[in-house]
């Protein structure tokens, strides 16, 4: 395709037939025509070595697409030959030769780089194919415009293949982001369309009289195919509002919109494009760059950061420029000058950049495109607050740094001050470590180094490898320093907690008297449970008994006709309620018949009351810890009570199965759901109690919920407990 593009320069000279001869009707490159002495009305005798009368495509296209030489008959009968050279047509050389070749090379580099870096992710393979297909289709469009048979076939099939591969990538990428794929599930069924497009391209070359119809069919179909991925992106972003989808929109909709809206659509509707294809297609040059910065975590700079900041400054600068220009226009006796506009625009733009540096230095105010930095820091701190051990805390710190900084090569190492040795892969010296302060971040030749925590002989270091290809921005450094400060104070708190737990272990091992604070804590928890039980009995059984007492009083006084049968039924209900409360406080069937039977009976009771369909799977589990069956029963009891009271679900599923020395419990409903924050803050839902039970046995509880999307809860507890 590159050889074809270079071999014959593109002219796009329009012709018209007069008295059986083809004369020049309009020039695409008017300045070139003037330099060559080529005028409107001149008769074209031959294109290259071929007489124009022998070319079958001319009567149907009436355009000279490409030529190395033209034989022209002037008005006075003079015959001249005009050599068509790239050097005389620099615009067409850039647009039709240089830019397509450069774009293909850049796309090939981008595709290979993405494939090499993240080849284990299926969506990246489709992304690489998408980038290369766009590049090849772009390159073949030049050959197609010159009537090349192979170029036309590749271009005709490619404009159908590009949106289909884009759909495949989006589907895989949505799965990677855990976003629901909204439409077309079996995209492979549409792969017959590129074959049909290639066939139509061949028909267009073999039968020139079909060209006008086939071009409209190809462009209209490609417009419809492109509308699918673009509409999916807009719909998904309307639903999800994630940063990844926003970047996808910028990476796909922005490059293709000029080509689709300014060339394809006007060409289909009116056969007259607003912007010629060679100009509108230039925007696809953004695709490889956008997707590289979308997927690559090791980067020289964050393109989204700079684009967002520049957009912000340009908008503010434009507003201030208009305001100042209007003022100066009237102040300078209405003397308009573009030099004034340019001067004001540049001055204000530089002012914003200077102000940014001043804000960073003197006010600790930073521009960030990643949203509210304080909110992100708060989210990271909330994650770290769930850690109960120093190792867990450091693991969360590492994951949060990888996620926020978008860098994979981050490690946490311990430096022994006595041995003064570091792993050989790092360049930091022991003297540099000695000078580090807690929370300080320094940049070395190959890595950033930060001191997390210092003990008498051990220093914990955070190492971020950069190898001169990654530069942390000011806002990233500030975020990291604040998080390190919190980590250091949290480690101190965790160490005190570990000391407290060790004290409890010693009490347990030596059978000494429990500490006063522990007795007080247990007593308060017992009193709290008594309060809950008393409140529940007061609101139900006691109210019913009070009503029965009044009814019996009236019966004794014969002042009202009271149904003895009704009183008896109410007393039966109260007895049943009391029995239910007693079973709730201590389920006897759990001890007598075992966990599986107890859960089945509990599920049956709930199913009789519920408006939803309850599906349960309770496998027999073998647990070494004698307390776990009661824990499982209480958790299931609380989950089903929540489903009855709050879920408004149509279907609830609950499964219990055995895992390695423990159990796994999965709950799911299709009810109204809520946000996770609301669920954890609402005491009535009992989720906090469930999490406390799970965490007390070193288990894990994962909750996924959102408004109108139901609730999913995954609980796993291993049967063996640690000493604490």
């Amino acid at each position: 395709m590159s050889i074809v593009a270079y071999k014959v320069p593109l002219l796009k000279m329009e012709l018209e037939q007069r008295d059986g001869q083809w004369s020049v009707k309009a020039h695409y490159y008017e300045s070139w025509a003037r330099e060559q002495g080529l005028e409107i009305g001149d008769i074209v005798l031959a294109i290259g070595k071929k007489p124009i009368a022998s070319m079958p495509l001319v009567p149907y296209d009436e355009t000279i697409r490409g030529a190395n030489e033209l034989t022209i008959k002037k008005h006075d009968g003079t015959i001249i030959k005009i050599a068509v050279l790239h050097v005389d047509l620099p615009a067409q050389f850039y647009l039709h030769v240089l830019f397509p070749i450069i774009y293909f090379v850049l796309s090939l580099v981008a595709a290979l780089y993405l494939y090499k870096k993240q080849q284990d992710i299926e969506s990246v393979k489709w992304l690489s194919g998408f980038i290369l297909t766009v590049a090849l289709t772009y390159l073949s469009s030049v050959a197609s415009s010159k009537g090349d048979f192979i170029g036309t076939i590749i271009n005709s099939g490619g404009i159908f293949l590009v949106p289909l591969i884009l759909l495949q990538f989006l589907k895989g990428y949505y799965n990677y982001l855990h976003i629901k794929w909204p439409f077309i599930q079996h995209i492979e069924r549409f792969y017959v369309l590129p074959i049909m497009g290639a066939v139509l391209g061949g028909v267009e070359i073999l039968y020139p009289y079909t060209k006008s119809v086939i071009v409209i069919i190809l462009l209209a179909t490609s417009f419809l195919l492109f509308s699918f991925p673009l509409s999916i992106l807009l719909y998904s972003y309307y639903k999800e509002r994630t940063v990844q989808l926003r970047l996808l929109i910028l990476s796909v909709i922005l490059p293709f919109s000029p080509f689709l809206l300014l060339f394809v659509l006007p060409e289909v509707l009116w056969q007259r494009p607003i912007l010629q294809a060679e100009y509108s297609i230039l925007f696809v040059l953004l695709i490889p760059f956008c997707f590289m910065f979308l997927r690559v975590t090791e980067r020289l700079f964050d393109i989204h950061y700079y684009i967002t900041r520049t957009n912000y400054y340009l908008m503010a600068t434009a507003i201030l420029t208009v305001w100042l220009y209007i003022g100066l226009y009237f102040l300078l006796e209405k003397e308009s000058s573009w030099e004034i506009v340019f001067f004001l625009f540049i001055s204000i733009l530089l002012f914003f950049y200077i102000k940014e540096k001043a804000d960073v230095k003197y006010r600790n105010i930073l521009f960030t495109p990643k949203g509210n930095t304080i909110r992100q820091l708060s989210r990271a701190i909330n994650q770290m607050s769930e850690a109960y051990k120093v190792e867990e805390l450091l693991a969360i710190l590492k994951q949060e740094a990888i996620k926020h900084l978008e860098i994979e090569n981050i490690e946490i190492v311990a430096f022994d001050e006595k041995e003064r040795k570091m792993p050989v892969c790092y360049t930091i010296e022991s003297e540099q470590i000695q000078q580090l302060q807690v929370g300080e971040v320094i940049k070395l030749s190959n890595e950033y180094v930060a001191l997390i925590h210092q003990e008498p002989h051990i220093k914990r270091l955070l190492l971020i490898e950069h190898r001169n290809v990654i530069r942390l921005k000011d806002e990233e450094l500030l975020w990291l320093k604040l998080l390190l400060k919190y980590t250091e104070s949290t480690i101190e708190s965790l160490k005190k907690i570990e000391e407290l737990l060790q004290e409890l272990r010693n009490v347990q091992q030596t059978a000494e008297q429990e500490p006063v604070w522990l007795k007080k804590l247990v007593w308060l928890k017992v009193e709290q449970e008594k309060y809950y039980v008393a409140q529940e009995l007061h609101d139900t059984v006691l109210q019913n008994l009070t009503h029965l007492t009044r009814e019996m009083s009236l019966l004794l006084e014969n002042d009202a006709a009271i149904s003895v049968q009704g009183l008896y039924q109410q007393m039966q209900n109260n007895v049943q309620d009391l029995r239910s409360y007693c079973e709730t406080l201590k389920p006897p069937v759990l001890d007598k018949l075992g966990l599986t039977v107890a859960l089945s009976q509990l599920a049956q009771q709930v199913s009789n009351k519920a408006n939803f369909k309850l599906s349960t799977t309770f496998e027999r589990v073998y647990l070494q810890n004698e307390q776990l069956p009661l824990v499982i029963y209480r958790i299931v009891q609380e989950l089903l009570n929540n489903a009855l009271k709050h879920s408004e679900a149509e279907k609830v599923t609950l499964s219990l199965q055995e895992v390695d020395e423990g159990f796994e419990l999965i709950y799911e409903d299709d009810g109204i759901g809520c946000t996770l924050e609301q669920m954890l803050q609402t005491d009535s839902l009992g989720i906090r109690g469930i999490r406390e039970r799970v965490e007390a046995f070193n288990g894990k509880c994962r909750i996924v919920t959102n408004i109108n999307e139901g609730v999913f809860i995954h609980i796993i507890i291993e049967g063996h407990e640690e000493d604490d």
Side-chain angles (χ1 to χ4, degrees):
M1 297 299 100
S2 303
I3 292 172
V4 172
Y6 179 77
K7 190 175 180 181
V8 182
L10 188 68
L11 280 180
K12 298 178 67 175
M13 182 187 297
E14 295 185 22
L15 305 176
E16 62 179 349
Q17 195 171 27
R18 291 182 180 178
D19 302 326
Q21 294 180 316
W22 292 98
S23 61
V24 178
K25 179 182 179 182
H27 300 295
Y28 191 73
Y29 300 105
E30 294 183 357
S31 60
W32 172 82
R34 285 195 302 269
E35 292 175 0
Q36 303 299 323
L38 191 58
E39 300 175 342
I40 302 298
D42 288 348
I43 297 173
V44 180
L45 300 178
I47 302 174
K49 302 298 182 182
K50 294 183 179 181
I52 193 169
S54 65
M55 295 185 173
L57 186 61
V58 174
Y60 305 102
D61 195 359
E62 297 185 347
T63 304
I64 299 177
R65 297 290 177 178
N68 294 110
E69 186 182 70
L70 295 176
T71 303
I72 303 296
K73 183 179 180 182
K74 302 292 291 181
H75 297 287
D76 58 2
T78 305
I79 297 177
I80 62 173
K81 292 184 181 293
I82 299 175
V84 184
L85 304 174
H86 288 295
V87 68
D88 296 328
L89 295 165
Q92 75 86 33
F93 177 75
Y94 293 139
L95 292 173
H96 300 283
V97 180
L98 188 61
F99 286 169
I101 294 175
I102 292 176
Y103 177 68
F104 187 85
V105 173
L106 290 175
S107 299
L108 182 61
V109 172
L112 291 175
Y113 184 76
L114 292 173
Y115 185 81
K116 179 182 177 182
K117 284 292 180 181
Q118 304 190 34
Q119 58 182 340
D120 56 325
I121 302 176
E122 187 67 23
S123 61
V124 175
K125 299 177 182 178
W126 286 111
L127 175 56
S128 301
F130 167 72
I131 292 175
L132 288 176
T133 307
V134 173
L136 183 58
T137 305
Y138 179 21
L139 193 59
S140 65
S141 65
V142 181
S144 175
S145 64
K146 298 176 182 179
D148 181 75
F149 183 77
I150 297 177
T152 303
I153 290 177
I154 295 176
N155 184 255
S156 301
I159 60 176
F160 289 179
L161 187 59
V162 167
L164 295 179
I165 296 182
L166 177 58
L167 279 172
Q168 289 280 18
F169 161 68
L170 291 179
K171 184 178 179 182
Y173 193 60
Y174 275 39
N175 182 61
Y176 175 75
L177 296 177
H178 303 289
I179 298 176
K180 183 179 179 182
W181 179 248
F183 303 113
I184 311 170
Q185 296 298 326
H186 301 287
I187 303 171
E188 59 275 4
R189 296 177 181 175
F190 293 89
Y191 280 114
V192 68
L193 292 177
I195 299 175
M196 295 174 60
V199 171
L200 288 175
V203 172
E204 173 190 336
I205 298 297
L206 296 175
Y207 303 97
Y209 58 86
T210 64
K211 179 180 177 63
S212 59
V213 176
I214 289 179
V215 168
I216 297 300
I217 293 174
L218 292 174
L219 292 178
T221 307
S222 66
F223 184 86
L224 293 176
L225 288 177
F226 270 106
S227 66
F228 282 110
L230 301 186
S231 59
I232 287 173
L233 274 175
L234 292 174
Y235 173 80
S236 301
Y237 182 69
Y238 173 76
K239 290 289 186 181
E240 301 290 340
R241 301 275 180 179
T242 65
V243 175
Q244 291 90 343
L245 291 179
R246 189 188 316 137
L247 287 174
L248 274 177
I249 290 174
L250 291 175
S251 305
V252 176
I253 294 182
L254 182 61
F256 281 113
S257 292
F259 177 69
L260 295 174
L261 300 179
L262 300 180
F263 174 74
V264 175
L265 193 59
E267 181 71 22
V268 171
L269 297 179
W270 307 291
Q271 287 75 54
R272 181 175 296 177
I274 298 174
L275 187 64
Q276 292 296 329
E278 55 261 40
Y279 295 102
S280 60
I281 201 66
L282 284 177
F283 290 89
V284 300
L285 288 167
L286 296 172
I287 291 177
F289 297 104
C290 290
F291 276 113
M292 280 187 69
F293 290 114
L294 174 66
R295 300 294 299 141
V296 176
T297 56
E298 295 183 358
R299 72 274 192 245
L300 288 173
F301 58 95
D302 187 346
I303 189 68
H304 181 53
Y305 175 84
Y306 289 98
I307 288 177
T308 310
R309 180 174 64 173
T310 304
N311 288 342
Y312 167 73
Y313 286 159
L314 285 175
M315 181 180 67
T317 302
I319 295 173
L320 285 174
T321 301
V322 172
W323 170 257
L324 291 175
Y325 177 75
I326 294 174
L328 291 174
Y329 179 77
F330 288 100
L331 291 174
L332 299 176
E333 298 179 351
K334 299 183 180 181
E335 292 182 2
S336 177
S337 173
W338 285 108
E339 288 80 1
I340 295 177
V341 176
F342 181 75
F343 171 78
L344 290 175
F345 189 89
I346 296 299
S347 299
I348 297 172
L349 187 62
L350 291 175
F351 166 77
F352 277 120
Y353 278 94
I354 295 171
K355 179 180 181 298
E356 176 192 336
K357 297 300 181 183
D359 286 341
V360 172
K361 185 175 181 179
Y362 300 110
R363 301 176 61 195
N364 285 332
I365 297 176
L366 290 170
F367 179 90
T368 170
K370 296 185 177 181
N372 191 326
T373 303
I374 301 302
R375 183 179 300 172
Q376 293 180 352
L377 185 65
S378 175
R379 180 187 59 78
I381 291 175
N382 288 335
Q383 291 285 334
M384 297 170 69
S385 65
E386 298 179 357
Y388 291 98
K389 296 181 180 180
V390 174
E391 290 73 15
E392 294 179 11
L393 179 68
L394 295 177
I396 295 174
L397 170 64
K398 177 180 176 181
Q399 292 302 317
E400 288 296 321
I402 291 174
K403 182 177 180 180
H404 184 82
L405 302 179
E406 299 177 353
I407 301 173
E408 292 293 337
N409 297 329
I410 296 179
E411 297 294 338
I412 295 177
V413 300
F415 173 75
D416 193 328
E417 290 185 313
K418 292 182 178 180
E419 298 182 0
R420 296 198 172 189
K421 289 184 179 180
M422 283 287 294
V424 293
C425 57
Y426 297 106
T427 59
I428 185 171
E429 301 292 339
S430 59
E431 291 75 14
Q432 294 173 312
I433 298 177
Q434 296 295 333
Q435 299 174 1
L436 273 177
Q437 301 296 321
V438 174
E440 182 182 1
V441 182
I442 62 173
K443 182 180 181 182
L444 302 178
S445 58
N446 290 328
E447 59 269 326
Y448 287 91
V449 182
L451 179 58
I452 303 174
H453 183 255
Q454 182 171 354
E455 298 178 13
H457 301 293
I458 300 294
K459 289 187 175 182
R460 301 180 188 272
L461 303 175
L462 179 70
L463 302 176
I464 304 172
E465 185 177 349
H466 63 76
R467 298 190 179 277
N468 292 320
V469 296
I470 297 172
R471 182 180 65 83
L472 295 183
K473 297 181 288 296
D474 292 335
E475 59 101 2
E476 293 174 325
L477 287 170
L478 180 59
W479 177 89
L480 183 59
K481 290 176 182 178
L482 292 174
L483 194 60
L484 290 173
K485 289 288 187 182
Y486 173 81
T487 304
E488 196 270 340
S489 61
T490 306
I491 289 176
E492 291 296 328
S493 300
L494 287 177
K495 285 188 168 296
K496 293 180 180 179
I497 294 174
E498 289 179 355
E499 292 174 1
L500 187 61
L501 291 174
Q502 185 60 43
E503 180 184 346
L504 290 175
R505 294 191 192 99
N506 294 336
V507 170
Q508 184 179 11
Q509 292 173 358
T510 59
E512 295 179 358
Q513 188 177 11
E514 294 84 357
V516 175
W517 62 266
L518 181 58
K519 291 182 179 180
K520 182 178 180 181
L521 178 63
V522 174
W523 177 78
L524 288 174
K525 294 298 290 184
V526 170
E527 290 300 317
Q528 187 180 29
E529 291 300 320
K530 287 181 179 179
Y531 171 80
Y532 289 149
V533 174
Q535 186 68 36
E536 191 72 20
L537 291 173
H538 177 274
D539 293 341
T540 56
V541 176
L542 184 59
Q543 295 295 329
N544 291 335
L545 289 176
T546 302
H547 174 71
L548 283 173
T549 302
R550 293 174 181 169
E551 295 291 319
M552 292 292 292
S553 175
L554 293 175
L555 183 63
L556 292 173
E557 296 175 2
N558 294 321
D559 288 340
I562 305 299
S563 170
V564 178
Q565 181 64 31
L567 293 176
Y568 174 76
Q569 186 60 45
Q570 291 185 42
M571 294 181 69
Q572 285 288 93
N573 293 339
N574 286 333
V575 171
Q576 184 63 31
D577 289 341
L578 280 173
R579 182 177 290 110
S580 176
Y581 285 129
C582 292
E583 291 178 355
T584 300
L585 294 172
K586 187 180 185 303
V589 69
L590 187 62
D591 295 330
K592 294 179 180 179
L593 302 178
L595 176 63
T596 305
V597 177
L599 292 178
S600 299
Q601 289 190 6
L602 178 62
Q604 185 61 44
Q605 294 172 6
V606 172
S607 184
N608 293 336
K609 303 176 185 177
N611 294 324
F612 52 76
K613 180 181 178 182
L614 177 61
S615 301
T616 60
T617 304
F618 299 128
E619 296 183 359
R620 186 177 297 277
V621 294
Y622 299 92
L623 305 170
Q624 296 180 359
N625 192 321
E626 297 179 354
Q627 299 175 349
L628 283 179
L630 182 59
V631 171
I632 296 173
Y633 186 87
R634 294 299 188 203
I635 292 175
V636 172
Q637 191 177 52
E638 192 64 52
L639 290 173
L640 293 178
N641 285 338
N642 283 342
L644 279 173
K645 297 178 181 179
H646 308 289
S647 72
E648 299 183 22
E650 296 181 359
K651 183 179 180 181
V652 176
T653 59
L654 191 64
S655 67
L656 172 69
Q657 58 187 5
E658 187 176 22
V659 295
D660 185 23
E661 299 185 20
F663 71 90
E664 180 183 54
L665 186 65
I666 299 176
Y667 167 89
E668 187 172 7
D669 68 50
D670 59 356
I672 58 174
C674 63
T675 64
L676 187 58
E677 291 77 11
Q678 292 173 337
M679 178 175 287
L680 296 178
Q681 291 173 2
T682 305
D683 294 335
S684 61
L685 295 181
I687 298 298
R688 185 179 300 173
I690 292 176
R691 294 187 68 175
E692 289 177 355
R693 282 190 173 95
V694 173
E695 292 170 356
F697 287 85
N698 298 317
K700 298 179 180 179
C701 178
R702 186 170 71 94
I703 303 172
V704 179
T705 182
N706 212 332
I707 297 175
N708 297 325
E709 294 183 8
V711 176
F712 174 85
I713 300 177
H714 180 220
I715 297 170
I716 184 168
I717 297 179
E718 294 182 348
H720 60 82
E721 284 189 275
E722 299 180 5
D723 294 337
D724 55 341

